[in-house]
Amino acid sequence: MLKLSTIDAGYGPVQALEGVSLEVAADQIVCLLGANGAGKTTTLNCISGMVPVSRGRIEFDGVDITNVRAERIVAEGVVQVPEGREIFPQMSVEDNLLLGGWLQRRKPNWRGALDRVYALFPRLSERAQQHAGTLSGGEQQMLMIGRALMARPRLMLFDEPSLGLSPVLVEQLFAIITRIHADGMPVLLVEQNARMALEVSAYGYILENGEIVHQGPAAALANDPQIQEAYLGG
Amino acid sequence: MSTIIVQAVVSGIVTGCIYALVALSLVIIFKTTDVVNFGGGEFVMVGSFLALFALVYLGVGYALALLLAAVAMFALGVTFDAVTMNRIGGRLYTRQTELVPTIVATIGLSYLLKGIVRVVPYTEEPRRIPPLFNAPPIFVGDVVIQAQDVVIVVATTLIMIGLWAFFRFTMAGRALRAISQNARAACLSGMPVRTLRMVVWGLSAGIAAVAGVLFAPKLLITPDSGTLVMFAFAAAIVGGFTSLPGCVVGGIVLGVTQNLVGVLIAPQAISVTPFFIIMVVLLLRPQGLFGDAIALKKV
């Protein structure tokens, strides 16, 4: 469904990605692992149109989305849940969610999507009128996922969703990702928490210094002693 | 004596409304793009000349001239953003980290517009635009209120309420607030950040033109009348630089204080008043009267 073919990207003279190829099939969770600075976030930002691709091609559902404007990529159905607390802090939780559906706003019944998000995250519906900036870290992460769902995605990209969350919240978060995936959503997951990511994924890629160095079925990667040592803490 | 003071307050409110309009045009850009537009005064000046040309060369009525000037300035604002700011802002559309280039660009805008107007014939002498209505002044006791004053106050109030409602209730207005709070997240949520920012630049230039046309009957217009922007900056700072009602309150506080200073202290002190007010506000309440509490921005 999503296909990256030998893409290069960089910031000025710094080459951040070199010949990265990866694929996400229509019913898969695929994870992209690697150390800090390996190029995981850059890869997602290339897909989302936030960082220019200097060589190679990105295709989604047969459509070439290489270096297309970010809003067009969202309109195609590729929606990223960014790393960190990328919310609209001085707006209500509900406005944050409604704005996630910006491109859907003229479609009939787009507010219906709001009810589905509230069903998935009852916590957000309790806090609908609160400023998003007053939410806890975990709630803000849920808000970003809800906001992405409002855009009616056909593929979701997650950038380090578990970063800074307590172990209990990480469990909950992965449960939610699995649940969204069970409803038929393909997912590309970037994570530092390699153990959890491999548990939920079908396939995995490992990025090192901007290049894919390993790939394979998630179970095989999890059992590979070399990878266990480098990424799973021995 | 009391009549003089009341008169000073009344005309201070009217002048304050003009400062407020120009301040609104600066603040909507700052709110949504983090850019301080030093060319804002020239938007006002070019707007009033465009209306003057429409009156003289096209022979249209005042209302149509106002409309034409506002529309033409909207187009100019959009164009400036598209050909300059959009390129400086970079592809990431994040908060303008390019602080110096954006400032230089708006200063360049200011000089460019001034230079163009100077070489256009008919601008070498100060000009005046007739008022909207030739109605006789209204007397309230001994206080005189010109019909144009009423027009200015009503227009300012309507524009402020209109902008406030736009930012609060429309999806495009909400999207613009979202962009100002987190441009990256707005981009990733599918909002057309570039297009919306162009619309804001257009709105800003259009409002500046309205200010220029409304004020022109009270003051002569020259290629240098853009210096009025200093008072608008003062009004915006008093109001907090992000608040729309703050602009209006700031403008009126400034206009009234200037006039009172002129009457009670000395006319020579009028021109230092805005700077004095800025100093007092920054000392006592740095976030301005209506500004958000100052928070360090994430770098």
Side-chain angles (χ1 to χ4, degrees), chain B residues 147-168:
Chain B
Q148 183 75 6
D149 297 348
V150 180
V151 173
I152 289 173
V153 173
V154 170
T156 306
T157 314
L158 290 180
I159 288 176
M160 187 205 76
I161 293 173
L163 281 176
W164 177 81
F166 169 73
F167 279 108
R168 178 105 352 216

Side-chain angles (χ1 to χ4, degrees), chain B residues 44-201:
Chain B
V44 177
M45 180 270 293
V46 173
S48 50
F49 271 113
L50 286 177
L52 179 67
F53 295 153
L55 285 168
V56 173
Y57 294 120
L58 303 180
V60 299
Y62 182 96
L64 189 56
L66 173 66
L67 187 70
L68 285 177
V71 171
M73 288 308 293
F74 183 93
L76 181 74
V78 168
T79 312
F80 177 70
D81 185 49
V83 303
T84 315
M85 304 315 272
N86 242 338
R87 309 201 174 233
I88 300 170
R91 194 186 160 93
L92 265 169
Y93 325 118
T94 49
R95 281 210 180 88
Q96 300 281 351
T97 44
E98 294 83 355
L99 183 65
V100 173
T102 55
I103 289 177
V104 171
T106 65
I107 294 174
L109 170 74
S110 146
Y111 279 91
L112 180 72
L113 293 178
K114 238 186 287 187
I116 291 174
V117 171
R118 282 209 184 102
V119 297
V120 171
Y122 203 69
T123 61
E124 59 284 347
E125 280 173 52
R127 299 287 170 181
R128 205 169 151 272
I129 293 181
L132 179 49
F133 302 115
N134 272 319
I138 306 154
F139 286 91
V140 182
D142 289 330
V143 176
V144 191
I145 300 172
Q146 306 283 345
Q148 183 75 6
D149 297 348
V150 180
V151 173
I152 289 173
V153 173
V154 170
T156 306
T157 314
L158 290 180
I159 288 176
M160 187 205 76
I161 293 173
L163 281 176
W164 177 81
F166 169 73
F167 279 108
R168 178 105 352 216
F169 300 118
T170 70
M171 274 302 280
R174 283 182 187 158
L176 280 165
R177 284 201 291 145
I179 290 169
S180 75
Q181 290 172 27
N182 192 333
R184 194 181 132 75
C187 213
L188 287 171
S189 301
M191 288 171 232
V193 175
R194 284 191 180 202
T195 313
L196 286 168
R197 282 183 172 171
M198 276 193 253
V199 171
V200 167
W201 272 89

Side-chain angles (χ1 to χ4, degrees), chain A:
Chain A
M1 192 162 202
L2 177 77
K3 192 172 173 201
L4 277 64
S5 316
T6 58
I7 64 162
D8 285 4
Y11 305 91
V14 184
Q15 179 93 344
L17 296 181
E18 222 181 313
V20 170
S21 298
L22 63 83
E23 236 177 294
V24 182
D27 56 349
Q28 275 182 328
I29 299 185
V30 170
C31 63
L32 181 59
L33 310 174
N36 261 334
K40 304 182 303 277
T41 297
T42 307
T43 308
L44 289 193
N45 282 336
C46 284
I47 300 171
S48 288
M50 303 294 283
V51 169
V53 173
S54 49
R55 197 174 61 97
R57 185 178 156 94
I58 303 175
E59 232 176 76
F60 176 68
D61 215 6
V63 180
D64 183 1
I65 56 165
T66 325
N67 290 332
V68 163
R69 277 195 187 196
E71 65 258 29
R72 282 265 337 273
I73 292 169
V74 175
E76 286 291 334
V78 181
V79 184
Q80 183 185 147
V81 179
E83 179 191 334
R85 307 286 169 249
E86 301 270 14
I87 54 162
F88 310 121
Q90 282 139 47
M91 301 179 87
S92 72
V93 167
E94 185 147 317
D95 277 350
N96 268 262
L97 291 173
L98 288 173
L99 283 166
W102 166 263
L103 290 165
Q104 307 292 325
R105 70 196 184 284
R106 286 187 221 287
K107 307 232 166 99
N109 194 29
W110 68 281
R111 277 169 188 264
L114 199 59
D115 298 330
R116 288 196 292 279
V117 169
Y118 284 153
L120 192 60
F121 303 111
R123 196 94 180 128
L124 294 183
S125 96
E126 284 163 28
R127 316 219 152 186
Q129 300 312 322
Q130 231 169 286
H131 272 196
T134 64
L135 299 183
S136 72
E139 289 164 347
Q140 292 188 10
Q141 187 65 50
M142 303 304 156
L143 178 60
M144 288 201 297
I145 298 175
R147 187 181 65 198
L149 286 171
M150 291 295 291
R152 303 233 170 123
R154 295 194 291 142
L155 167 75
M156 287 179 84
L157 315 172
F158 285 88
D159 193 0
E160 307 270 9
S162 74
L163 201 73
L165 298 185
S166 71
V168 180
L169 284 173
V170 173
E171 289 282 349
Q172 280 178 20
L173 174 89
F174 275 93
I176 282 160
I177 295 176
T178 339
R179 186 160 158 204
I180 293 172
H181 169 250
D183 291 340
M185 182 81 65
V187 168
L188 177 58
L189 177 64
V190 159
E191 259 295 344
Q192 295 250 19
N193 190 334
R195 192 181 298 279
M196 289 290 278
L198 286 172
E199 236 167 69
V200 300
S201 302
Y203 202 84
Y205 292 87
I206 293 174
L207 206 54
E208 233 172 62
N209 297 324
E211 288 179 66
I212 302 273
V213 290
H214 293 286
Q215 60 173 301
L221 289 179
N223 292 325
D224 184 324
Q226 208 187 332
I227 289 166
Q228 280 179 345
E229 178 155 3
Y231 298 99
L232 301 171

Side-chain angles (χ1 to χ4, degrees), chain B residues 19-38:
Chain B
Y19 299 160
L21 277 182
V22 183
L24 284 172
S25 110
L26 297 173
V27 161
I28 59 173
I29 287 181
F30 180 76
K31 246 172 106 76
T32 52
T33 67
D34 276 8
V35 171
V36 179
N37 177 20
F38 288 97

